Each structure stands twice: as C-alpha cells, then as structure tokens.
Amino acid sequence: MTTITQLYPPPVQELALHGLYLSHDLRQAAAELNRPLVYTNFVSSLDGRIALPGPTESGMVAPKQVTNSRDWRLFQELAVQADVVISSGRYLRDYAGGHTQEILQVYDDPQFADLARWRVQQGLSPQPDIAVISASLDFPIPAALLTGGRRVLIFTTEQADRGRVRQLEKSAGQVIAVGQASVAGDRLVQALAGLGYQVIYSAAGPKVLHLLLAAGVLDRLYLTLANRLLGGQPYASFVEGPLLTPPVDMHLHTACFDAAGLDGLGQLFLSYRRAA
Ligand SMILES: NC(=O)c1ccc[n+]([C@@H]2O[C@H](COP(=O)([O-])OP(=O)(O)OC[C@H]3O[C@@H](n4cnc5c(N)ncnc54)[C@H](OP(=O)(O)O)[C@@H]3O)[C@@H](O)[C@H]2O)c1
C-alpha cells in the first residue's frame, strides 16, 4: 500500500506516502521564520526505545525491530530539504566500523533518485553539507565526505585538543568552538546561521537533541512510533541529559497512521512544533 491516513489536522484523508514530508516544505517554513529552522527525526518503539545494545563502539544501535523502509523514506524526505545535516563524533566512529545506517550519502541510492532530482530542481547542491558535533574529536573523516564538494564543519568545545583541531582543519574542514566544556545549542545555531545555513536537520541522537532543546533552538520534532514494545536495558530514549527546566512544550503539527508499515503492524508518523 502506498498511502497513509492523515488523522490530524482534519479532515481525515488518504495521502501518498511518497511526498508526505516534502509537502511540509521546510525551506518555505524557514523563509517565513526569517531565521534558521532546526528539526530532527526519530523512530521509536511504543515503549520509547530508540536504540538497543549492538556491536558498535557506542554499544547501541537503532533497533531493527522498529527501523523500516517506509520510515526511512520519510527520513530521506527530511534530509533532502536541508542545507546542512548535523551528525556526531559517535556516528563517524561507528560509520568507520561499518556498523551504522548510511546517512551521509543517501541520494546515490537509486530508490531515492526522485529526491536527488528534487534537490537539483530547487537549485540546491547535490547533498547537504555536514556539521559534526564532537567534544573528543576522536573520529576518522570518511572519504565519502571529502568528495563531491560538500562542506564539512566540525563543532566542538574550547577544551578540544589543539593538535587534533589543526589536523582536522587541514584534512576535513573548519573546526569551530561553540561552548566551554560542551557544545551549546544556541551558539551552534548562531554559527550555522552566520555561515548562511537556514534549514538545519539534526540526524544525531539523544544528547544532541538535548543540547538543542535546552537552548530552545529546536523548532520541529518528527517522530515515528512503531506499534511494537521492546523492553531491554539500558533504556535509550530520544532525549538524554539533565531535566529540561522549564520543560519544552510542543504542539501536535501532523499525525498520520501508516497501516501498511512494519508488514501490516502499523506505525504513527507524528510531527510536533515547538510552542511559542
Ligand atoms: N532510532 C532513532 O531514530 C535514532 C536516531 C539517532 C540516533 N539513534 C541512536 O542513538 C544512539 C546515539 O546516537 P548519536 O551518537 O548519533 O547521538 P548523540 O547521543 O546525540 O551524540 C553523541 C555524540 O555527540 C557528541 N556530543 C553530544 N553532545 C555533545 C555536547 N554537548 N558537546 C560536545 N559533543 C557532544 C559526542 O561526540 P564525541 O564522543 O566525539 O565527543 C557524543 O559521543 C545511537 O545508538 C544511535 O543508533 C537512534
């Protein structure tokens, strides 16, 4: 089945899966804000698991029980609209070990050829640039990032190792300190805005989401909720860090039911926007 059911906003209606998140027109939304639009996306089990223990250095991987091709299509539709995609030092370490899903070179996959064309039609570069968040700077830069004219930016802290900063600047791209001991979300987004980025997609995980939320710079949350409970230890949710004070309030933006997802088990495609 190639359709999903939009439950919110009314009226309830059948929509095509392909194009669902392209229709959110995040580039237009950023233009209307007149400042950068920052958004992220997670796929989660009903009990809130976004990662389970796996064979990676970080010890955790996105659960194969909930990741699926229909959610992956929507991940690409979000990524294709971005000026820059945020990733993490942890992701590049796992990437080097071959243990993680490809998020750096997505539109080379023939199944996403229509998205590659969409990007060209918008007059955008073939792939968004990449911003890596890392305190340790302990990761290799994959060759794929150094070809194709993409810009690589690395955001770190004032405490980062000077020698490693120089190495990365020579081999990969600009290294920018945006925090004393920890990357600060507001300084990160200001720096990206200063470099001309307006549509900013965080494809990183729960710690990066926390720093964006704590700084009040996350505008949209996209959440796929698979109709499946997993349990398991340790518990990995999509926000990780100290209590958010005040809490971050969100409005439901859209809700769609994907009855065909997960081989007919079903899943919800939810999107939220930050309350003013
Ligand atoms: N199910 C899903 O939709 C989904 C989505 C994303 C991720 N995940 C899972 O979540 C887990 C973690 O993902 P992730 O590592 O990409 O994301 P993350 O937990 O947000 O980021 C971790 C890395 O980012 C850097 N970092 C985070 N906060 C920082 C700060 N305040 N200052 C400086 N550096 C900071 C650190 O890099 P250094 O260690 O290099 O300093 C850290 O190792 C993985 O298992 C992944 O599979 C699941």
Side-chain angles (χ1 to χ4, degrees), residues 86-97:
I86 297 177
S87 186
S88 73
R90 190 284 313 165
Y91 178 80
L92 291 183
R93 286 192 288 279
D94 286 355
Y95 187 88

Side-chain angles (χ1 to χ4, degrees), residues 15-126:
L15 296 175
L17 173 71
H18 285 206
L20 179 67
Y21 284 167
L22 277 185
S23 74
H24 285 206
D25 202 346
L26 296 164
R27 302 195 65 78
Q28 179 59 27
E32 283 166 15
L33 283 177
N34 212 17
R35 63 165 175 79
L37 177 93
V38 183
Y39 59 105
T40 192
N41 173 54
F42 286 89
V43 56
S44 167
S45 66
L46 269 188
D47 51 331
R49 263 81 181 174
I50 60 120
L52 291 176
T56 68
E57 253 186 58
S58 72
M60 305 288 276
V61 285
K64 61 178 180 334
Q65 297 93 324
V66 301
T67 55
N68 65 89
S69 61
R70 293 167 74 86
D71 168 71
W72 190 229
R73 164 75 197 190
L74 295 184
F75 175 97
Q76 307 305 336
E77 291 195 8
L78 294 173
V80 78
Q81 297 178 65
D83 291 329
V84 63
V85 172
I86 297 177
S87 186
S88 73
R90 190 284 313 165
Y91 178 80
L92 291 183
R93 286 192 288 279
D94 286 355
Y95 187 88
H99 293 306
T100 191
Q101 215 161 13
E102 175 66 75
I103 63 167
L104 304 178
Q105 276 189 300
V106 284
Y107 320 118
D108 293 348
D109 185 331
Q111 67 171 313
F112 301 125
D114 63 312
L115 296 179
R117 281 194 299 276
W118 181 91
R119 236 186 119 80
V120 173
Q121 282 157 9
Q122 308 300 307
L124 299 169
S125 58

